[in-house]
């Protein structure tokens, strides 16, 4: 069997010289003896998994390892408090677990994510590393102290079946912090553009055909609102992660665990993190299925769908520079072509679109994986964790990049927008209330057929005067239903559009509270 030794693993044995110490050590377990790197902190179970799961290059996500270590730390403390582990041994386990949770020993978790569907091998890896660290600490004080046992002591009252899903909830919730900050930044950046573009009247398009006018600010307000909906969906789904499977042990019954254990561990985890962790109401369900995680990824998929649409719209509006729509000018960050001099491409949107495609693909895999549970246990947990955490990282990074390197630098090409607006035939819609649909359609068709402006065709029809046309066809007035105008706040126009200023306009819910100047409140909410 090909040995699986990841490139990132440190503590590799030094090249053997004439006086070199043996670089391997031998351990025993229920399957016999096994050799492993002398300096490795992991034990026999991890070494066997290294040999038996030489699959791919993706390791079990470190966020999950850290979350498992947080659980081990709290578990040892609770066992000490319950009198179920000697205080000194529990303290050594808790201290070792804290160091693992901090990422001090990341290189000691070399296993492929493509392993047992319960994550047992990586869970044992965590138990072994913590046990070895704790044993070394105890031996430093008392050479006769027996080594800490990874299963009997570190894993006391626990199973992979309840620890792994709990760690998945913890890791996912933690990872969503930076993602939500990036989402807020992007909404603020888009909202800033919605304000900046509030007075720019442009042609609307439906079915990619000319339609009635709207403002560029209104167009951008849709982006802000779409991301607001995604944020709301994400926040709701994250609340569903608070219930942990801890205390269920092997099948959900809680065999071999103290009845108070899970509740006390949740309380400790809550104290450290500020998150209201609690024992899941039905432990059987918390191990057999992963609906809460599926719901989080569904919200991420919704976010990816909205981002894809927003990115595509910005790319389309910025197409050109000469032969496209050309209404937006995208920041020119780098040379776009190795062969076509001077060409600049919408690279940020392309990166964003690829991330969105990856997230939508992850969602399909997560759906299939979450449906794979048989009876008491879902056995695709590592895949669910891997894809979820990957989606979170990708979306967070992509939004931060898109915001910084594209949205903040967007400019409107006002002359181009004005030309397209004036040439539009769908301003004819303003004539319908006065002339009726059929007469207005005839004017639009005549203008198109004869290559004249709408005004010229309208006057040629003899149905209205020049004064009528100028009074009835006012693009700015067509950007909303007739309403009494809402005066802007006195200082609104002069207010600088900084990120800090926009942030202040967001309520605790993340929704904008003030309409940008010259826009109606109903048109910017979200
Ligand atoms: O690893 C465990 O604790 C349990 C394992 O996943 C099993 O159910 O066989």
């Amino acid at each position: 069997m090909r040995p699986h030794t990841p490139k990132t693993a440190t503590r590799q044995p030094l090249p053997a010289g004439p006086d070199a110490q043996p670089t391997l050590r031998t351990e025993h377990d229920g399957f016999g003896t096994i050799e492993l790197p002398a300096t490795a902190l992991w034990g026999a179970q991890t070494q066997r998994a290294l040999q038996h799961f030489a699959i791919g290059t993706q390791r079990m996500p470190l966020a999950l390892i850290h979350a498992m270590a947080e659980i081990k730390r709290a578990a040892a403390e609770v066992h000490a408090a319950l009198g179920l582990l000697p205080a000194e041994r529990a303290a050594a386990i808790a201290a070792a677990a804290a160091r693992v949770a901090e990422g001090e020993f990341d290189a000691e978790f070399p296993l492929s994510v493509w392993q047992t569907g319960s994550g047992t091998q990586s869970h044992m890896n965590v138990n072994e590393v913590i046990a070895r660290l704790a044993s070394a600490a105890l031996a430093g004080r008392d050479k006769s102290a027996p080594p800490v046992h990874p299963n009997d002591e570190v894993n006391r009252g626990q199973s992979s079946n309840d620890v792994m899903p709990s760690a998945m909830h913890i890791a996912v919730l933690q990872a969503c912090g930076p993602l939500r900050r990036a989402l807020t930044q992007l909404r603020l950046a888009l909202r800033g553009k919605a304000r900046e573009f509030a007075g720019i009247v442009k042609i609307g398009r439906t079915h990619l055909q000319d339609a009635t006018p709207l403002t560029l600010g209104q167009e951008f307000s849709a982006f802000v609102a779409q991301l607001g909906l995604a944020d709301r969906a994400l926040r709701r789904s994250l609340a569903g992660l608070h219930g942990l499977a801890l205390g269920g042990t092997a099948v959900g019954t809680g065999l071999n665990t103290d009845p108070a254990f899970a509740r006390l561990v949740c309380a400790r985890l809550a104290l450290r993190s500020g998150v209201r962790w609690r024992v899941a109401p039905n432990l059987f369900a918390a191990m057999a299925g992963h609906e809460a995680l599926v719901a989080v990824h569904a919200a991420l998929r919704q976010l990816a769908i909205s981002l894809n649409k927003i990115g595509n719209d910005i790319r389309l509006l910025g197409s050109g520079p000469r032969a496209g729509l050309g209404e937006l000018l995208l920041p020119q960050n780098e040379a776009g072509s190795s062969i076509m001099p001077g060409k600049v491409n919408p690279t940020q949107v392309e990166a964003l679109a690829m991330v969105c495609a990856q997230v939508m693909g992850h969602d399909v895999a997560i759906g299939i994986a979450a449906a794979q549970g048989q009876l008491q246990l879902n056995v695709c947990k590592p895949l669910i964790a891997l894809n979820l955490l990957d989606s979170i990282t990708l979306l967070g990074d992509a939004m931060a990049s898109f915001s910084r390197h594209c949205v903040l630098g967007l400019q409107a090409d006002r002359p181009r927008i004005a030309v397209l607006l004036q040439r539009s035939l769908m301003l004819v819609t303003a004539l319908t209330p006065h002339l009726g649909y059929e007469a207005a359609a005839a004017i639009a068709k005549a203008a198109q057929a004869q290559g004249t402006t709408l005004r010229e065709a309208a006057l040629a029809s003899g149905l209205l005067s020049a004064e009528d046309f100028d009074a009835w066809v006012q693009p700015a007035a067509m950007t909303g239903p007739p309403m009494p105008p809402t005066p802007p706040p006195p200082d609104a126009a002069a207010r600088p559009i900084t990120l800090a200023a926009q942030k202040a306009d967001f309520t605790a819910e993340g929704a904008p509270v003030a309409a940008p100047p010259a826009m109606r409140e109903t048109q910017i909410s979200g």
Side-chain angles (χ1 to χ4, degrees):
M1 180 72 64
R2 179 166 57 101
H4 178 219
T5 310
K7 291 189 187 71
T8 48
T10 56
R11 296 175 175 274
Q12 292 301 308
L14 293 170
D19 303 322
Q21 297 296 311
T23 55
L24 297 176
R25 72 173 196 268
T26 303
E27 286 209 358
H28 304 262
D29 65 4
F31 285 80
T33 59
I34 185 163
E35 289 191 323
L36 59 162
T39 54
L41 295 181
W42 66 76
Q45 323 237 32
T46 304
Q47 188 63 28
R48 290 192 194 284
L50 267 177
Q51 292 169 5
H52 294 145
F53 297 101
I55 304 175
T57 55
Q58 291 156 302
R59 287 198 297 169
M60 185 64 80
L62 286 170
L64 210 60
I65 301 290
H66 299 161
M68 280 197 255
E70 276 295 347
I71 293 170
K72 298 292 162 184
R73 179 187 183 186
E77 290 166 348
V78 167
H79 280 136
L82 292 172
L84 296 173
L85 271 181
E88 200 186 1
R89 294 178 75 77
I93 293 171
R99 294 174 70 191
V100 170
E102 284 299 313
E104 208 181 313
F105 298 100
D106 286 351
E108 299 293 336
F109 300 95
L111 296 185
S112 167
V113 73
W114 307 106
Q115 52 168 271
T116 170
S118 57
T120 294
Q121 269 68 44
S122 284
H123 179 218
M124 302 254 237
N125 188 179
V126 171
N127 289 332
E128 286 181 337
V129 170
I130 292 173
R132 199 166 178 85
L133 287 168
S135 299
L138 289 172
R141 274 170 252 151
D142 173 7
K143 288 221 167 341
S144 65
V148 171
H149 197 283
N151 298 86
D152 294 336
E153 295 180 289
V154 181
N155 197 45
R156 188 183 178 100
Q158 303 150 69
S159 162
S160 310
N161 301 353
D162 59 1
V163 169
M164 180 74 176
S166 303
M168 288 158 77
H169 283 211
I170 293 170
V172 165
L173 196 70
Q174 279 175 353
C176 279
L179 169 92
R180 292 202 54 221
R181 282 194 287 283
L183 176 52
T184 300
Q185 288 301 312
L186 178 57
R187 289 176 67 202
L188 289 169
L190 287 166
R191 184 164 147 67
K193 291 296 160 186
R195 286 176 162 221
E196 187 181 328
F197 301 152
I200 303 176
V201 181
K202 55 160 283 179
I203 193 66
R205 296 178 185 89
T206 58
H207 309 268
L208 268 185
Q209 303 292 308
D210 301 357
T212 59
L214 77 168
T215 69
L216 189 54
Q218 288 171 322
E219 199 162 40
F220 271 68
S221 78
F223 303 157
V224 180
Q226 283 175 289
L227 294 185
L229 292 172
D231 190 38
R232 205 164 306 148
L234 185 58
R235 268 187 292 125
R236 285 206 185 117
S237 71
L238 291 179
L241 294 180
H242 290 166
L244 300 183
L246 284 173
T249 64
V251 298
T253 57
L255 181 70
N256 286 0
T257 197
D258 188 279
F261 170 76
R263 186 174 45 79
L264 294 174
V265 171
C266 286
R268 266 178 196 267
L269 291 170
L271 204 64
R272 285 212 173 95
S273 62
V275 177
R276 277 193 266 161
W277 298 117
R278 53 184 160 69
V279 180
N282 186 310
L283 294 175
F284 304 103
M287 290 164 32
H290 291 302
E291 282 72 12
L293 294 165
V294 169
V296 173
H297 205 276
L300 295 178
R301 176 174 171 272
Q302 178 180 336
L303 175 59
I305 288 168
S306 298
L307 286 170
N308 208 109
K309 166 70 163 62
I310 292 165
N312 273 344
D313 281 1
I314 288 174
R315 166 161 54 184
L316 187 60
L317 293 172
S319 58
R322 295 283 171 91
L325 297 187
E327 295 187 355
L328 285 179
L329 302 169
L330 274 56
Q332 306 205 342
N333 295 330
E334 66 272 305
S337 170
S338 62
I339 188 170
M340 291 176 271
K343 191 166 188 288
V344 180
N345 294 329
T347 49
Q348 288 297 318
V349 176
E350 289 172 13
L352 180 68
M354 285 191 286
V355 163
C356 293
Q358 181 77 341
V359 170
M360 290 182 230
H362 281 350
D363 196 70
V364 173
I366 285 177
I368 294 169
Q372 295 311 308
Q374 295 87 21
L375 306 176
Q376 274 64 64
L377 192 66
N378 170 279
V379 285
C380 281
K381 297 184 200 301
L383 183 152
I384 295 172
L386 178 76
N387 282 7
L388 239 169
L389 291 166
D390 195 45
S391 290
I392 293 168
T393 305
L394 285 177
L395 283 171
D397 289 352
M399 284 191 292
S401 181
F402 180 58
S403 182
R404 192 174 316 126
H405 300 302
C406 183
V407 175
L408 285 174
L410 283 177
Q411 287 172 20
D413 188 335
R414 291 171 188 253
R416 168 82 180 156
I417 289 172
V419 165
L420 291 177
L421 179 69
Q422 285 314 318
R423 276 178 27 198
S424 163
L425 297 180
M426 283 307 109
L427 296 179
V428 77
T429 311
L431 297 180
T432 313
H434 306 283
L435 305 180
Y437 182 92
E438 287 190 19
I443 291 171
K445 283 181 180 166
Q448 174 67 357
Q450 291 151 20
T452 62
T453 65
L454 187 65
R455 193 171 190 276
E456 287 163 345
L459 299 190
S461 75
L463 296 172
L464 70 169
S465 67
E467 291 72 31
D468 287 338
F469 186 91
D470 293 340
W472 296 341
V473 182
Q474 292 187 15
M478 295 172 74
T479 61
M483 281 173 64
T486 311
D491 65 339
R495 210 164 135 205
I497 305 167
T498 61
L499 272 184
Q502 294 157 32
K503 215 174 216 168
D505 283 349
F506 270 64
T507 64
E509 293 292 292
V513 291
M519 285 189 68
R520 298 185 176 98
E521 270 181 53
T522 50
Q523 292 164 342
I524 184 89
S525 65

